[in-house]
Every structure is written in structure tokens, then in C-alpha cells.
């Protein structure tokens, strides 16, 4: 995850600086830098015969900017040897509350033109989860960690996770549970599918 090596405050978490640049031109510049850095890392790994997928969080402002797809295409062109299927864009489900059709169009372009997959991150925390599942062609649904954290003790969280897994399978989507901290959580999720 992105960190800022601040000259006076040391290493800063993204929660300490990303909200400050939200909605500014700097947000898109940082987003483009992250994409380029991830592609460079994929390039470096491929030279070492390491095959790993890299997921990049994309802000809604950056995703909806008029030059997002063109900038993504230019970044990919700078790294022609990178297997583009190893790049995944993560969109916060709550950020998809805006123009669903425009977001859908961008996801389709990323998938069809570049072979890049898209994940809906923090799934279940937005207001329109089922609308997003139906209308956004994301290949992966990432269940928010707030449901995973207490799933062993709270039957409601278990039921929500079970329901999201069922929905994801019905829509032929991959599903990932975020925030797995113990083997008990991991084993229960494996049993759940």
C-alpha cells in the first residue's frame, strides 16, 4: 500500500494524506504514479520469473476522470512485456454510488481492451450492493473485513458472508474475504466456499 515518507513526520499511512488530496488534481497524479509503479513492479517480477497478481485501489475521482482510460493505456504501453491479466483494479463499492453506467463502461473497457480485471472492494458496505453486483461487470467481489472480523461470534455476520458468497457464485464472480486474521476464520471461510 502507498505510504508517504514525510520529511518531518516519517512514514505516513494513506489515511493520513489521501483524504487531503481527494478531489484535487494531485489525486489523479498520485493514482497514475501508483499504476505506473505497480506495472514497473510486475515488470521486475516477470524478469525474475515471479508471477503474482497486483491489485491497485483506484479512487472514484480518478476512475471517472476524462483521461483515466487513456492514461492507463499509456502506462501499459510503457511496460509492453507485462502480462496485463496480472493487474487488477479495485474500486470501493461505495465509490460506485455515482454514475453506475459510466463506471460500467470504464470497467468494460479495462476488461475488453486491456485484459485487466476489476474487483469491487469492501463489498456489502455500500447502499446499492445488489445493483452493483447486477450492473458492474467486476470479476471479483471482496467481502468487507467488518463482516469477517466477528463472523465466528456473530451469526448475522456469518449469514451476510454466506449470502454474499452465494450471490457471487450465482453471478459467476470470484469472492475474497478481507481481514482474515486467524486460522479459525480461514478454515470457516474455506468450508463456506
Amino acid at each position: 500500500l502507498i505510504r508517504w515518507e514525510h520529511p518531518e513526520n516519517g512514514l505516513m499511512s494513506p489515511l493520513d494524506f489521501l483524504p487531503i488530496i481527494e478531489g484535487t488534481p494531485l489525486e489523479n497524479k498520485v493514482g497514475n504514479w501508483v499504476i505506473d509503479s505497480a506495472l514497473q513492479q510486475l515488470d521486475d517480477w516477470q524478469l525474475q520469473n515471479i508471477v503474482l497478481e497486483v491489485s491497485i485501489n483506484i479512487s472514484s475521482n480518478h476512475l471517472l476522470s476524462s483521461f483515466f482510460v487513456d492514461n492507463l493505456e499509456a502506462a501499459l504501453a510503457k511496460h509492453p512485456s507485462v502480462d496485463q491479466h496480472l493487474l487488477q483494479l479495485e474500486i470501493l463499492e461505495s465509490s460506485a454510488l455515482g454514475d453506475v453506467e459510466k463506471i460500467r463502461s470504464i470497467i468494460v473497457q479495462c476488461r475488453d481492451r486491456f485484459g485487466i480485471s476489476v474487483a469491487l472492494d469492501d463489498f456489502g458496505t455500500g447502499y446499492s450492493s445488489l445493483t452493483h453486483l447486477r450492473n458492474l461487470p467486476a470479476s471479483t467481489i471482496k467481502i468487507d473485513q467488518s463482516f469477517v472480523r466477528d463472523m465466528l461470534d456473530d451469526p448475522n455476520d456469518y449469514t451476510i458472508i454466506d449470502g454474499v458468497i452465494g450471490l457471487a457464485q450465482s453471478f459467476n464472480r470470484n469472492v475474497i474475504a478481507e481481514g482474515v486474521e486467524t486460522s479459525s476464520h480461514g478454515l470457516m471461510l474455506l468450508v463456506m466456499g
Side-chain angles (χ1 to χ4, degrees), residues 1 23 43 72 76 79 82 93 109 117 121 128-129 141 143 151-153 155 164 184 193:
L1 295 173
D43 222 349
L72 178 61
L76 291 166
H79 303 277
V82 167
E93 185 203 2
Q109 287 182 71
S117 65
D121 197 13
S128 310
S129 299
I141 305 299
I143 301 171
M151 66 177 279
L152 299 175
D153 303 316
V164 171
S184 298

Side-chain angles (χ1 to χ4, degrees), residues 94-114:
S94 56
S95 73
L97 294 174
D99 188 342
V100 174
E101 272 310 305
K102 186 169 182 184
I103 292 171
R104 182 183 198 301
S105 170
I106 293 167
I107 292 173
V108 167
Q109 287 182 71
C110 290
R111 181 192 66 202
D112 295 350
R113 285 178 59 187
F114 310 127

Side-chain angles (χ1 to χ4, degrees), residues 102-158:
K102 186 169 182 184
I103 292 171
R104 182 183 198 301
S105 170
I106 293 167
I107 292 173
V108 167
Q109 287 182 71
C110 290
R111 181 192 66 202
D112 295 350
R113 285 178 59 187
F114 310 127
I116 295 174
S117 65
V118 174
L120 280 181
D121 197 13
D122 294 348
F123 189 80
T125 60
Y127 296 107
S128 310
S129 299
L130 296 177
T131 300
H132 295 149
L133 192 59
R134 181 185 69 202
N135 294 327
L136 297 177
S139 58
T140 303
I141 305 299
K142 298 182 84 174
I143 301 171
D144 186 67
Q145 64 182 334
S146 64
F147 302 115
V148 175
R149 186 180 312 116
D150 297 324
M151 66 177 279
L152 299 175
D153 303 316
D154 187 338
N156 290 326
D157 284 344
Y158 176 92

